[in-house]
Amino acid sequence: MMTYIVFILSVIFVVSFVGFSSKPSPIYGGLVLIVSGGVGCGIIVNFGGSFLGLMVFLIYLGGMLVVFGYTTAMATEQYPEVWVSNTTVMGVFLLGLLMEVMLVLYVLKSEEVGVVFKFSGVGDWAIYDTGDSGVFSEEIMGVAALYSYGAWVVIVTGWSLLVGVLVILEVTRGD
Amino acid sequence: MNPLIFTTILMTVLLGTMIVMMSSHWLMIWIGFEMNLLAIIPILMKKYNPRTMEASTKYFLTQATASMLLMMAIIINLMHSGQWTITKVFNPTASIIMTSALAMKLGLTPFHFWVPEVTQGISLTSGLILLTWQKLAPMSILYQISPSINLNILLTMAVLSILVGGWGGLNQTQLRKIMAYSSIAHMGWMTAVLVYNPTLTMLNMLIYIMMTLTMFMLFIHSSSTTTLSLSHTWNKTPLITTLILITLLSMGGLPPLSGFMPKWMIIQELTKNSSIILPTLMAIMALLNLYFYMRLTYSTSLTMFPSTNNMKMKWQFETKRITLLPPLIVMSSLLLPLTPMLSILD
């Protein structure tokens, strides 16, 4: 099972995406977002990026999603939608699940899968230790490169975040 | 809106487009598109009524979907070529997805449905920014990937856009919807010649932006958003009425005016590449566009449109001062004799 752990985590990832994109109430969307965030962290850690995976947990789940949960709890309604309460939501959820199950069976059965692009069945999801990264870890070097060679990216993303705050304040201010 | 915040947000719209136009890394281009989209939402929502909110939401949803498709095309390109620089897109699947994403951003058929609705729901100045500045960034990316675009898809979208832009504008009396359908048709002309000679796409974009800027400025000057309201300008400023006539005929592509230049060059370039039926069809469908421009000129400048006597005097507090209106009008009507100068381009 450990060889295909990335595949299993990807399946759980897609299923939780189906769970919130079938649009139940935001509280339940946040719930599956937690699951998908944790599973996404697992995928990243399996590729050797332990720092970035823990960053997902800390910043995404522990910062952004907590704030999202609090604001949703303030704005929630008396009877929030679950996946089984509304026929439409349940229908979309089951349809997404069905498509994912069919895709998983297709990937498991055949040697080569060509959906939008070709990949070689389940084989592409097993992590082999290819490449000689030497004595350092590549992902932490990438993070370091962001702040040295990628200074322009830091400026652009920092400016986008500032303008994001301004835009949100402007949009929700009303008249 | 607080003037400082408004300036910051407007500058961010400019910065987003600049980042798209001058980046060599696909990820930075995507970031530029997102920054542009994020910052233009409060500009679209300058007045707080449900119509502008609905228009901004529609714009945000369609452009975010287009950005997602663009990101998918970027990643497929990364998978197959292993690098992030902007050159032609090597994989056909990625090229088709990227072309569709950029067509959604431009408002080409079959992704044109948001253009009239969004343009109608927002104020005239916001509509101006939407129809002119927002077209620059996707067109610059199309220019850069033009060697690898699938010809069939692009030409189909272009011809259908000209058709939809002409046909859809026929039944409109709201000026912003007319400008939106005109934008769809002009985008169709621009993308039709993209694969053959991208310089002409840029020429068409330049002249289109000048003409659309002029039209919107004239509408803002007379504070009119419907055909009926535009037909009362003869009473207030007869000169503006004449200029509306000239600029509308230039947009329709009539010969002594500068709007004829891009159409002429595009038809010439297409026939040089041995496609005869396509430019014939495009020229015939441009007549639909000309029809509703002429209907506007008929009701505005050529006849006194029927209205009750108390509606003939337009109520306005003070004359709006429109920056650069005379140079814009001159440029959007008198540039045709400069066509031989195009030989200095590549």
Side-chain angles (χ1 to χ4, degrees):
Chain A
M1 190 201 77
M2 273 313 283
T3 359
Y4 301 113
I5 188 70
V6 175
F7 181 66
I8 296 173
L9 290 178
S10 309
V11 171
I12 304 177
F13 194 65
V14 174
V15 166
S16 44
F17 265 60
V18 168
F20 70 72
S21 59
S22 54
K23 282 182 270 297
S25 156
I27 279 286
Y28 293 102
L31 182 67
V32 290
L33 263 182
I34 295 177
V35 172
S36 75
V39 161
C41 163
I43 297 177
I44 299 178
V45 165
N46 269 301
F47 277 99
S50 44
F51 175 67
L52 290 174
L54 286 177
M55 192 70 64
V56 166
F57 253 112
L58 202 67
I59 308 297
Y60 185 69
L61 295 186
M64 300 200 294
L65 212 60
V66 162
V67 173
F68 173 73
Y70 277 125
T71 52
T72 317
M74 281 200 293
T76 190
E77 55 209 3
Q78 196 180 10
Y79 297 107
E81 298 262 5
V82 203
W83 292 279
V84 294
S85 64
N86 188 3
T87 326
T88 316
V89 174
M90 184 164 72
V92 173
F93 182 58
L94 288 179
L95 184 68
L97 270 186
L98 179 72
M99 286 183 63
E100 175 62 15
V101 163
M102 284 188 354
L103 183 67
V104 166
L105 287 177
Y106 180 33
V107 167
L108 284 177
K109 284 284 179 356
S110 57
E111 279 303 315
E112 195 184 64
V113 177
V115 177
V116 176
F117 43 85
K118 288 199 185 330
F119 50 92
S120 62
V122 194
D124 261 352
W125 264 275
I127 312 291
Y128 303 115
D129 199 6
T130 57
D132 39 353
S133 43
V135 294
F136 52 84
S137 153
E138 285 174 339
E139 46 109 21
I140 199 82
M141 285 298 131
V143 175
L146 176 69
Y147 291 101
S148 60
Y149 299 109
W152 174 240
V153 182
V154 173
I155 296 173
V156 167
T157 44
W159 182 254
S160 303
L161 288 174
L162 174 66
V163 171
V165 170
L166 291 179
V167 161
I168 287 172
L169 286 177
E170 203 48 57
V171 164
T172 53
R173 191 168 57 103
D175 217 341
Chain B
M1 216 192 281
N2 185 1
L4 183 61
I5 307 277
F6 182 66
T7 313
T8 312
I9 291 181
L10 201 61
M11 289 300 123
T12 310
V13 174
L14 265 62
L15 181 65
T17 308
M18 286 292 122
I19 289 179
V20 169
M21 296 207 290
M22 63 179 203
S23 289
S24 53
H25 194 277
W26 274 119
L27 193 65
M28 290 308 291
I29 288 186
W30 184 83
I31 291 179
F33 272 122
E34 294 297 291
M35 190 191 284
N36 194 9
L37 172 62
L38 184 71
I40 204 172
I41 294 297
I43 294 182
L44 297 185
M45 280 174 62
K46 254 197 301 199
K47 301 202 189 102
Y48 287 99
N49 48 40
R51 181 169 289 168
T52 48
M53 312 248 173
E54 182 187 336
S56 319
T57 312
K58 277 183 195 162
Y59 185 68
F60 185 79
L61 286 176
T62 51
Q63 300 284 304
T65 312
S67 288
M68 281 198 297
L69 282 175
L70 182 70
M71 182 53 109
M72 176 159 188
I74 292 172
I75 294 188
I76 297 178
N77 185 31
L78 173 70
M79 253 184 54
H80 283 269
S81 63
Q83 46 88 30
W84 289 92
T85 47
I86 309 276
T87 51
K88 49 181 265 185
V89 175
F90 291 99
N91 187 21
T93 312
S95 171
I96 292 177
I97 296 179
M98 195 173 289
T99 312
S100 312
L102 293 169
M104 280 176 83
K105 284 198 177 285
L106 279 177
L108 289 175
T109 311
F111 309 115
H112 66 277
F113 292 99
W114 60 270
V115 189
E117 297 168 2
V118 173
T119 318
Q120 179 62 26
I122 54 186
S123 62
L124 274 172
T125 322
S126 306
L128 170 66
I129 299 179
L130 185 79
L131 287 183
T132 53
W133 184 261
Q134 295 294 92
K135 311 289 183 196
L136 282 177
M139 198 52 91
S140 76
I141 301 298
L142 274 177
Y143 183 100
Q144 286 172 327
I145 65 170
S146 63
S148 58
I149 299 181
N150 186 357
L151 193 65
N152 302 319
I153 288 194
L154 197 68
L155 280 183
T156 313
M157 287 200 287
V159 168
L160 284 177
S161 299
I162 302 174
L163 195 58
V164 163
W167 243 337
L170 282 183
N171 200 18
Q172 306 296 335
T173 53
Q174 296 282 333
L175 293 178
R176 287 169 288 182
K177 277 207 175 124
I178 286 181
M179 297 309 294
Y181 280 107
S182 138
S183 152
I184 297 174
H186 280 271
M187 289 298 136
W189 275 91
M190 281 182 232
T191 46
V193 80
L194 186 67
V195 190
Y196 298 105
N197 191 357
T199 314
L200 292 180
T201 305
M202 288 300 135
L203 171 75
N204 198 354
M205 172 68 90
L206 189 66
I207 302 215
Y208 161 73
I209 287 181
M210 272 193 299
M211 294 189 299
T212 310
L213 207 60
T214 313
M215 278 319 298
F216 267 100
M217 294 298 190
L218 290 169
F219 293 157
I220 290 173
H221 179 90
S222 50
S223 306
S224 48
T225 52
T226 59
T227 310
L228 183 63
S229 156
L230 193 66
S231 66
H232 294 144
T233 50
W234 65 269
N235 208 355
K236 224 161 64 68
T237 42
L239 187 57
I240 296 286
T241 313
T242 322
L243 297 171
I244 288 178
L245 166 77
I246 295 179
T247 316
L248 274 174
L249 291 181
S250 179
M251 280 193 90
L254 288 188
L257 306 168
S258 44
F260 181 58
M261 187 190 343
K263 290 196 165 56
W264 172 20
M265 293 286 113
I266 288 177
I267 291 179
Q268 183 175 8
E269 198 63 36
L270 284 172
T271 50
K272 272 193 223 166
N273 281 286
S274 309
S275 72
I276 316 283
I277 304 180
L278 182 71
T280 313
L281 274 179
M282 282 162 58
I284 291 177
M285 292 187 294
L287 287 176
L288 292 169
N289 259 333
L290 184 62
Y291 178 72
F292 58 80
Y293 295 142
M294 293 226 16
R295 190 166 51 196
L296 265 185
T297 64
Y298 182 75
S299 68
T300 309
S301 341
L302 299 177
T303 57
M304 278 173 58
F305 205 61
S307 61
T308 53
N309 272 338
N310 62 348
M311 278 175 72
K312 290 208 197 303
M313 297 298 292
K314 274 178 84 97
W315 176 259
Q316 190 175 292
F317 290 99
E318 59 180 31
T319 313
K320 294 202 179 134
R321 194 168 302 155
I322 307 285
T323 326
L324 285 183
L325 191 56
L328 276 177
I329 292 172
V330 167
M331 285 212 296
S332 65
S333 44
L334 295 175
L335 277 186
L336 192 64
L338 289 180
T339 312
M341 268 183 65
L342 293 180
S343 57
I344 65 173
L345 302 168
D346 252 342

